[in-house]
């Protein structure tokens, strides 16, 4: 094609900063304790069968600890979850220090205060550029009766505001 400009990683990231994403934590129970990572690419894939998906950077040091377990919980953070998101977005350390959680029906950590959670098993993991795409079967799920999601956009955490019609 003539007249097209190269899409550099910098320009791509700059434009994508304007696309709001929900903030989730993928958690699992490894033999040495709970592990988890922040994910901003969680998506509903299918209603029948119930499937969800998310992307993980190939550079993640946590995903290689979760993937062999085959099961995990996707915790959707509420608007009060910014500190939790920041804790799970860093590499290393005990991300669960000071956090309360309980076991999902399949044994993965459900973070107290999560707006919603999905108890999953890995269905398929596919290469996707510098990430992997994780397609997951949903076995159980739940949502708090009230609350708003934590959203990330323009390089910062955002809160949704309800407008009257």
């Amino acid at each position: 094609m003539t007249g097209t400009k190269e899409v550099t990683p910098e320009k791509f990231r700059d434009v994508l900063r304007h696309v709001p994403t929900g903030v989730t934590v993928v958690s699992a129970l490894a033999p040495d304790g709970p592990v988890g990572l922040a994910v901003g690419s969680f998506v509903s894939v299918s209603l029948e069968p119930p499937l969800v998906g998310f992307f993980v950077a190939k550079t993640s040091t946590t995903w290689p600890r979760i993937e062999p377990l085959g099961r995990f919980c996707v915790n959707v953070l509420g608007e009060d979850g910014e500190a939790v998101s920041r804790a799970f977005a860093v590499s290393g350390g005990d991300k669960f220090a000071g956090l309360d959680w309980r076991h999902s029906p399949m044994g993965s950590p459900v973070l107290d205060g999560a707006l919603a959670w999905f108890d999953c098993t890995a269905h398929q993991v596919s290469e996707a550029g510098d990430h992997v795409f994780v397609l997951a079967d949903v076995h159980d799920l739940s949502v708090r009766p009230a609350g708003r999601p934590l959203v990330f956009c323009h390089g910062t955490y955002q809160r949704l505001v309800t407008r009257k019609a």
Side-chain angles (χ1 to χ4, degrees), residues 41-160:
S41 58
F42 179 68
V43 63
S44 168
V45 176
S46 169
L47 293 175
E48 190 68 36
L51 297 169
V52 294
F54 55 90
F55 292 89
V56 179
K58 288 182 180 178
T59 57
S60 171
T61 57
T62 304
W63 178 247
R65 296 180 64 202
I66 295 174
E67 184 177 14
L69 302 171
R71 66 178 181 251
F72 44 83
C73 186
V74 179
N75 297 268
V76 178
L77 298 184
E79 64 185 355
D80 57 347
E82 183 177 334
V84 173
S85 174
R86 289 185 187 281
F88 281 89
V90 298
S91 184
D94 181 3
K95 299 174 186 177
F96 283 83
L99 288 181
D100 292 325
W101 59 276
R102 65 189 183 284
H103 291 93
S104 71
M106 293 179 53
S108 298
V110 175
L111 303 178
D112 283 2
L115 180 61
W117 56 265
F118 299 80
D119 209 7
C120 302
T121 55
H123 183 88
Q124 182 179 3
V125 178
S126 307
E127 299 280 323
D130 57 2
H131 284 64
V132 294
F133 175 67
V134 181
L135 181 64
D137 294 295
V138 177
H139 299 278
D140 203 351
L141 67 165
S142 185
V143 64
R144 279 194 327 220
R148 296 183 181 131
L150 182 63
V151 176
F152 193 80
C153 189
H154 297 123
T156 189
Y157 294 95
Q158 308 280 331
R159 286 171 174 70
L160 298 178

Side-chain angles (χ1 to χ4, degrees), residues 3-69:
T4 60
K5 295 182 181 181
E6 179 184 358
V7 178
T8 65
E10 295 79 18
K11 180 164 182 135
F12 194 54
R13 182 187 312 256
D14 184 55
V15 173
L16 284 174
R17 291 183 67 220
H18 300 276
V19 179
T21 62
V23 183
T24 62
V25 168
V26 175
S27 60
L29 192 58
D32 59 341
V35 294
L37 68 148
V39 171
S41 58
F42 179 68
V43 63
S44 168
V45 176
S46 169
L47 293 175
E48 190 68 36
L51 297 169
V52 294
F54 55 90
F55 292 89
V56 179
K58 288 182 180 178
T59 57
S60 171
T61 57
T62 304
W63 178 247
R65 296 180 64 202
I66 295 174
E67 184 177 14
L69 302 171

